[in-house]
Amino acid sequence: MALREIVTLPSSVLRRKARKVTAFGPELQTLIDDMVETMRLAPGVGLAAPQVDEPLRVIVVEFGSEEDEEAPKKLFTLVNPEITRPSEEMTVATEACLSIPGYVGDVERHEAVTVKALNRYGKPQRVKAEGWLARIFQHEIDHLDGVLYIDRAEKVWKLEEADAQVVPAD
Ligand code: ZN
């Protein structure tokens, strides 16, 4: 595994629509392993392939339980993910992005979503998520369409150094 450089604004790859994955060979496996390592080191709770300069529809997410901080974190690898069944209920929370260092913003998202995707070997999977996990999925899948949280934010502001660890970044 190897670390990849996380690209930041104004890199144009962050604004492109990423391509669907059609090959599940060694190149994809290496990309996914590298993305997981890069996300963990950042540290972040999610990473989309365009953030490491690969315009492909791949995201990785690793997030623990909101209720139980001791619970082990769960790793999700989603290829060609699509949101199905977004909840009518919406919720606003403060987001950050590894590709927009130093800023945070309040973003309205669906409280719950189901995500239809393939796993790293091309097998179909379906994940139900609510709360922060649902928010992370929506943030990451937006990246695949060249959409950033600042496009949706009601308010964006510069983060003070002291608050830098408050908001999980993806
Ligand atoms: Zn992001």
Side-chain angles (χ1 to χ4, degrees):
M1 291 206 283
L3 285 176
R4 306 252 181 149
E5 192 181 336
I6 295 176
V7 299
T8 56
L9 275 184
S11 173
S12 62
V13 70
L14 296 171
R15 290 308 197 176
R16 276 167 63 185
K17 198 170 160 70
R19 291 191 313 274
K20 273 201 168 184
V21 172
T22 53
F24 294 80
E27 258 181 55
L28 179 70
Q29 304 308 317
T30 301
L31 170 65
I32 289 169
D33 289 342
D34 290 353
M35 284 174 65
V36 170
E37 192 179 348
T38 304
M39 169 180 69
R40 285 177 174 160
L41 192 85
V45 292
L47 196 65
Q51 291 182 278
V52 293
D53 207 16
E54 292 281 352
L56 284 173
R57 303 189 79 81
V58 178
I59 66 171
V60 295
V61 170
E62 189 169 54
F63 193 65
S65 160
E66 282 171 81
E67 289 83 46
D68 182 4
E69 286 187 5
E70 306 279 291
K73 288 181 179 177
K74 198 165 176 210
L75 176 66
F76 300 90
T77 300
L78 304 181
V79 176
N80 300 340
E82 283 172 47
I83 290 175
T84 61
R85 306 171 60 90
S87 64
E88 274 178 37
E89 189 188 347
M90 304 294 284
T91 171
V92 176
T94 307
E95 295 185 16
C97 181
L98 295 171
S99 296
I100 313 171
Y103 290 85
V104 294
D106 283 344
V107 186
E108 186 177 51
R109 302 277 190 189
H110 299 287
E111 167 62 22
V113 293
T114 298
V115 181
K116 197 181 107 183
L118 302 175
N119 73 4
R120 64 190 294 162
Y121 307 111
K123 191 169 162 260
Q125 57 177 336
R126 202 174 285 268
V127 184
K128 275 188 179 179
E130 54 179 47
W132 264 106
L133 185 59
R135 175 172 296 275
I136 298 166
F137 285 142
Q138 290 168 81
H139 178 119
E140 297 310 332
I141 292 169
D142 269 353
H143 271 300
L144 305 181
D145 293 320
V147 174
L148 302 171
Y149 83 84
I150 52 174
D151 305 336
R152 298 190 185 274
E154 296 163 9
K155 191 175 104 182
V156 177
W157 66 97
K158 209 166 176 8
L159 201 57
E160 299 298 328
E161 277 303 313
D163 304 328
Q165 295 304 318
V166 175
V167 182
D170 44 9

